[in-house]
Amino acid sequence: NAEYMGKILLFAFSRAMTVGTIVVVDPFSSGGGLAPIFLEKGYTCAAVVSSKSIPEMILSSYRPQDFAHTITYEGDLESVVQQLRPLNVQAVCAGSELGVELSDALSAALNLRTNGTQSSEPRRNKYLMQERLRSAGLRAIRQLQSSDLEETISWAHKWNYPVVIKPLKSAGTDGVTLCETDEDIRTSFAGLVGKYNILGEYNDAVLAQEFLEGI
């Protein structure tokens, strides 16, 4: 929950921080609960919104009363950095999935504690997440990224049903389907490719993964 995440973030940042401003990028959904925790500890909070086209369903969870400053990113990173510099920013964190990549870029640009930008995309793209594990010599799931329906069905035949079809990005269980037949894949594929996910991002491909049964 947000309280737990907030305490973890404060602990992670604490060695390098004095009282100042904490920036939360896209403080939506459960991430909307981060600012009250920071405010309670004496910090000022600033919000950076990563796009002018955040879906209303997501944007409706925003709590403007928790933020002394709100900045909308319009593609110019340096402009946002310059607006943040006078605010004595001590840390930047993502408040939701949408804010991960911009949070990395801002924290790096402000020379704060950061994940860096080299691994930003694998932190959002579920296909790249698994491939990063594989490249590190760790066990990773069998998978396929594809925008071709027949290729996806052929892959499922190779590894046997059931398989899981999902968006490359998004959040929660949005678009996640357990497929046991070719027809299931066709239905899932039609519902994803060429459509927008709940975060407002365009699905130009699907991610097919083997089904792992838990114990």
Side-chain angles (χ1 to χ4, degrees), residues 7-185:
K7 289 178 178 178
I8 292 294
L9 287 168
L10 283 172
F11 177 78
F13 292 139
S14 59
R15 292 183 181 179
M17 289 170 62
T18 57
V19 174
T21 299
I22 297 180
V23 176
V24 185
V25 182
D26 289 338
F28 309 131
S29 187
S30 59
L34 293 174
I37 296 164
F38 301 149
L39 292 171
E40 185 181 319
K41 297 298 183 181
Y43 294 96
T44 299
C45 291
V48 173
V49 179
S50 65
S51 170
K52 295 176 70 174
S53 57
I54 303 290
E56 181 57 34
M57 180 181 72
I58 304 295
L59 197 60
S60 62
S61 63
Y62 176 53
R63 294 166 47 91
Q65 66 271 26
D66 293 335
F67 298 93
H69 309 273
T70 299
I71 301 168
T72 300
Y73 173 69
E74 299 184 49
D76 186 345
L77 182 69
E78 185 57 28
S79 174
V80 176
V81 169
Q82 291 306 317
Q83 292 176 74
L84 291 175
R85 286 200 187 280
L87 305 183
N88 188 24
V89 176
Q90 298 296 305
V92 180
C93 65
S96 65
E97 281 280 329
L98 283 171
V100 168
E101 291 165 293
L102 183 55
S103 174
D104 288 348
L106 286 172
S107 56
L110 289 164
N111 296 315
L112 299 170
R113 188 162 187 172
T114 182
N115 290 310
T117 57
Q118 187 173 7
S119 62
S120 294
E121 192 174 4
R123 293 177 64 216
R124 287 287 330 276
N125 184 303
K126 295 176 175 64
Y127 175 83
L128 295 179
M129 285 179 195
Q130 291 294 321
E131 293 309 305
R132 181 61 64 91
L133 289 175
R134 204 183 320 277
S135 67
L138 301 174
R139 293 177 64 187
I141 199 168
R142 297 186 184 99
Q143 61 178 2
L144 172 75
Q145 174 182 319
S146 181
S147 57
D148 185 287
L149 173 60
E150 296 307 320
E151 179 186 32
T152 306
I153 290 174
S154 294
W155 179 88
H157 287 178
K158 177 180 179 180
W159 297 111
N160 298 320
Y161 286 107
V163 299
V164 176
I165 303 294
K166 62 177 71 171
L168 289 169
K169 297 184 178 181
S170 200
T173 58
D174 176 43
V176 178
T177 305
L178 179 65
C179 297
E180 301 185 273
T181 66
D182 292 2
E183 191 56 37
D184 287 345
I185 290 181

